[in-house]
Amino acid sequence: MSAINLKTFEVWFITGSQDLYGDETLREVARHAQEVAAALDASPQIPVRIVFKPVLTTPEQIRDVVLAANAAPNCIGLAAWMHTFSPAKMWIAGLKLLQKPLLHLHTQFNREIPWSTIDMDFMNTNQSAHGGREFGFIGARMRIARKVVVGHWQDQDVITDVATWTRAAAARHDALTARIARIGDNMREVAVTEGDKVAAQICLGYSVNGYGLGDVVKHIDAASDADVDRLCDQYEEQYAMAPALRRGGQRRESLRDAARIEIGLRRFLEAKGFVGYTNTFENLYGMKQLPGIASQRLMADGYGFGAEGDWKAAAMLRAAKVMAVGLPGGTSFMEDYTYHLKNDNPQVLGSHMLEICPSIAAAQPSCEIHPLGIGGKEDPVRLVFDAPPGPAVNATVVDLGDRFRMVLSEVDVFAPEQPMEKLPVARAMWKPRPDLKTAAAAWIQAGGSHHPTFSQALTTEHWEDLAEMWGVEFVVIDGDTRLRDFKNILRWNDAGVFRRA
């Protein structure tokens, strides 16, 4: 899989006005719009192209640009600015046809009122204050999902909000063609990893299909010794290698087996164009060990992954990887594994048997081999590390039968109080906001999965924007959460607003 390049995506910058103002005013509106679009396009914060489109003054022009955007394979959304007053009935036909995400940039070209020179010509040209409200009404009337960003277009918080939305739009666009491979089935008798794959494709875009382990094993068996040796050399260059795994070490052959698994798994995914996958330790026939370092490295390269057949987790991680391109901090498949219920500082130890992405490592990972008391296979090779301190978010999508719900929890990662020298897995210690007791109860009330996507690169706003684009319920657990209010929100949402058609 080639690296994720968000610069191949475009957001079209469209500006609303009307013929009433005359050619001179419309030329000024166009100049202003070009300058705003160019500034946003040049911003290092915004990872996609911002492409100026001619000022729109008629229903026909609006409809035509929407149809063109719908058909453009690299256009991931529209950013709309009402520079003047643009009568919103003109927008109805176009907005009814819109199939791409919409951002409403409520700004104006000038930052301040020119006190000594302001006249009616200036007022007629700069009408965003009420032009944006007219556009806002038709969006509300038509129930159009959109993000509204308010402020001057040169302000840092405005640029940040636009950039966040473009990242979510890129993830939504990627999901429309994303293919997830289920290698084997779900872990037996587990509920939350199941779900309606057809409904997911209709609502969220990505397709999920199953493959036998033999489809992967044939690629594993075909890996040459030379390729295996080259990959083992990469391991030694990138990681702190346990002595037993080094060249000449007593467990070197296990490292070679792990490398062979990575080569085969990667070639299987590349051959069929997958961007994410699942596996399960209950279906390992033909493999010597459970993919540990293989899954960790594939995640680091942008693949989505879900353990135990959790295809929704794989798709969420892929979306996170797309949104997080170029941002500091990592993203990983994760699991709420065990608690530290110390009275004055209760925390969560997040981890998994093997598969935590090294993008969240605080320091150079250690490449180690240890027994795994589940799955009945040979000892697997894995990368071991701690996540760095700092804020993070855990997000998951669950299938409630009548709709999908995204649940998000804001957390703060801390260094472990003491070393965990006998725990041979990657891990992160965090304290949920507002506290463990409230956050865990709220997560459980919402039905959140035990397989969240953990990210120190993304914020709540990234996931909120994506949930809005997907049209799914979004509930947040943060520093302001009060359990009684949170339960009421769940009850209100259960009333039917988000139910599937």
Side-chain angles (χ1 to χ4, degrees):
M1 183 182 68
S2 60
I4 302 168
N5 181 9
L6 299 188
K7 279 299 181 184
T8 62
F9 295 143
E10 297 177 352
V11 168
W12 289 6
F13 191 90
I14 59 175
T15 308
S17 188
Q18 59 180 326
D19 290 328
L20 178 67
Y21 300 111
D23 292 342
E24 183 177 350
T25 296
L26 290 177
R27 283 193 293 269
E28 185 173 7
V29 168
R31 287 195 300 272
H32 289 173
Q34 285 178 295
E35 186 171 338
V36 173
L40 294 175
D41 184 55
S43 170
Q45 268 193 271
I46 296 177
V48 306
R49 295 292 318 284
I50 305 295
V51 178
F52 168 79
K53 294 294 177 179
V55 176
L56 304 173
T57 60
T58 68
E60 293 76 20
Q61 291 173 353
I62 294 168
R63 185 192 63 232
D64 289 348
V65 78
V66 167
L67 290 174
N70 288 345
N74 292 336
C75 177
I76 64 173
L78 299 178
W81 174 33
M82 301 302 112
H83 189 305
T84 62
F85 191 83
S86 182
K89 286 180 67 177
M90 295 197 307
W91 288 84
I92 293 174
L95 290 178
K96 284 184 67 176
L97 298 170
L98 182 60
Q99 298 172 358
K100 302 286 176 79
L102 176 65
L103 179 141
H104 178 185
L105 180 58
H106 189 55
T107 189
Q108 63 185 27
F109 186 73
N110 58 298
R111 183 184 292 278
E112 300 176 356
I113 291 175
W115 303 105
S116 63
T117 61
I118 186 170
D119 56 18
M120 283 310 301
D121 287 340
F122 180 92
M123 296 279 277
N124 283 334
T125 304
N126 299 279
Q127 297 191 45
S128 298
H130 69 287
R133 283 166 167 77
E134 168 77 354
F135 187 68
F137 166 75
I138 205 62
R141 177 67 177 80
M142 297 178 67
R143 310 299 194 268
I144 302 292
R146 75 272 195 217
K147 181 171 185 173
V148 180
V149 176
V150 180
H152 193 261
W153 52 278
Q154 292 176 318
D155 287 347
Q156 189 58 50
D157 61 335
V158 169
I159 295 170
T160 297
D161 287 346
V162 172
T164 297
W165 177 86
T166 64
R167 289 180 177 277
R172 181 258 182 193
H173 189 79
D174 178 79
L176 292 175
T177 56
R179 303 180 65 221
I180 309 294
R182 292 172 66 238
I183 302 169
D185 206 339
N186 294 65
M187 182 179 173
R188 297 168 195 139
E189 304 293 352
V190 177
V192 76
T193 57
E194 296 285 355
D196 188 334
K197 295 186 289 294
V198 173
Q201 187 167 353
I202 293 170
C203 179
L204 310 176
Y206 56 82
S207 66
V208 183
N209 289 288
Y211 291 82
L213 196 62
D215 295 320
V216 179
V217 169
K218 66 182 181 182
H219 289 279
I220 295 173
D221 293 343
S224 70
D225 289 341
D227 287 341
V228 168
D229 289 336
R230 277 192 291 270
L231 186 52
C232 288
D233 290 341
Q234 288 183 31
Y235 293 166
E236 294 205 72
E237 292 172 3
Q238 296 177 20
Y239 312 119
M241 193 68 60
L245 296 175
R246 294 173 187 163
R247 193 182 301 274
Q250 60 183 2
R251 305 301 302 273
R252 181 69 175 191
E253 197 58 32
S254 293
L255 184 72
R256 298 185 78 256
D257 290 338
R260 195 178 300 277
I261 290 172
E262 179 183 338
I263 292 168
L265 185 52
R266 189 181 293 272
R267 288 176 178 172
F268 164 77
L269 297 170
E270 290 175 345
K272 296 185 179 294
F274 293 115
V275 298
Y277 69 100
T278 71
N279 59 25
T280 173
F281 56 81
E282 290 186 315
N283 183 4
L284 294 175
Y285 184 78
M287 280 190 185
K288 289 187 175 182
Q289 55 182 264
L290 182 66
I293 191 173
S295 291
Q296 291 178 292
R297 286 169 51 84
L298 284 163
M299 282 189 280
D301 286 342
Y303 283 95
F305 172 76
E308 297 138 30
D310 194 343
W311 49 270
K312 295 186 294 300
M316 282 287 282
L317 181 57
R318 169 62 181 185
K321 291 294 185 181
V322 173
M323 288 192 287
V325 168
L327 295 177
T331 60
S332 179
F333 172 82
M334 188 59 73
E335 183 167 273
D336 297 76
Y337 219 102
T338 193
Y339 290 136
H340 180 56
L341 293 178
K342 188 177 180 180
N343 285 337
D344 63 344
N345 192 29
Q347 297 181 38
V348 178
L349 173 58
S351 186
H352 204 254
M353 296 183 300
L354 300 170
E355 308 97 343
I356 301 298
C357 179
S359 68
I360 69 167
Q364 184 187 37
S366 173
C367 185
E368 304 177 11
I369 183 168
H370 301 276
L372 182 67
I374 195 167
K377 290 291 181 179
E378 294 181 11
D379 299 343
V381 175
R382 82 289 303 273
L383 301 176
V384 179
F385 51 84
D386 289 297
V393 292
N394 282 317
T396 186
V397 163
V398 293
D399 187 345
L400 297 180
D402 60 353
R403 68 190 188 279
F404 293 99
R405 170 184 286 164
M406 186 183 294
V407 188
L408 181 139
S409 176
E410 296 182 354
V411 306
D412 293 291
V413 180
F414 295 89
E417 291 182 9
Q418 299 181 38
M420 293 179 279
E421 296 174 352
K422 292 187 177 182
L423 184 63
V425 290
R427 60 261 174 164
M429 290 290 304
W430 68 75
K431 182 187 295 184
R433 302 175 188 171
D435 54 72
L436 176 57
K437 186 172 183 177
T438 301
W443 187 277
I444 289 168
Q445 289 280 353
S449 171
H450 60 283
H451 286 164
T453 295
F454 171 90
S455 181
Q456 292 181 295
L458 303 177
T459 66
T460 299
E461 190 175 359
H462 289 97
W463 289 113
E464 182 178 12
D465 287 351
L466 181 58
E468 184 125 42
M469 293 173 191
W470 274 343
V472 301
E473 179 185 358
F474 181 69
V475 292
V476 177
I477 305 164
D478 59 14
D480 296 326
T481 296
R482 299 295 178 267
L483 192 57
R484 182 180 296 112
D485 296 337
F486 187 84
K487 288 163 68 176
N488 278 333
I489 290 171
L490 298 180
R491 293 186 186 104
W492 297 333
N493 291 350
D494 273 335
V497 175
F498 293 95
R499 295 188 187 279
R500 293 175 189 157

